[in-house]
Amino acid sequence: MRTLKDDWLIQCYMDAVHLQLDPEFIDLLLEEIHRRSTNPAFRRMWMAVSHSLWGQKAAAGAVLYAN
């Protein structure tokens, strides 16, 4: 996971949520996102994507998938 580029990690997370992949895999991706969130450049990228319309749809999918 640590060798994934930042943008690939974010894309992988969004795709995993959209495709409703294994929740344990999604949790691993989120753990890595959380670990990288101390990096200001990564945090800006994550915030931009997660606040976009596409990111909001993925987040909504994650909520539906969790329930």
Side-chain angles (χ1 to χ4, degrees), residues 11-67:
Q11 180 69 44
C12 187
Y13 169 75
M14 296 295 185
D15 290 345
V17 169
H18 177 73
L19 296 171
Q20 298 181 351
L21 298 182
D22 184 5
E24 291 181 20
F25 177 66
I26 293 172
D27 287 343
L28 287 173
L29 293 170
L30 280 174
E31 286 176 21
E32 182 63 16
I33 288 170
H34 178 71
R35 188 188 71 72
R36 293 185 190 193
S37 67
T38 58
N39 177 326
F42 179 82
R43 190 170 44 244
R44 280 191 300 274
M45 184 186 311
W46 173 246
M47 295 302 285
V49 170
S50 64
H51 286 89
S52 70
L53 181 57
W54 185 63
Q56 291 172 2
K57 287 181 181 179
V63 168
L64 292 174
Y65 184 56
N67 292 326

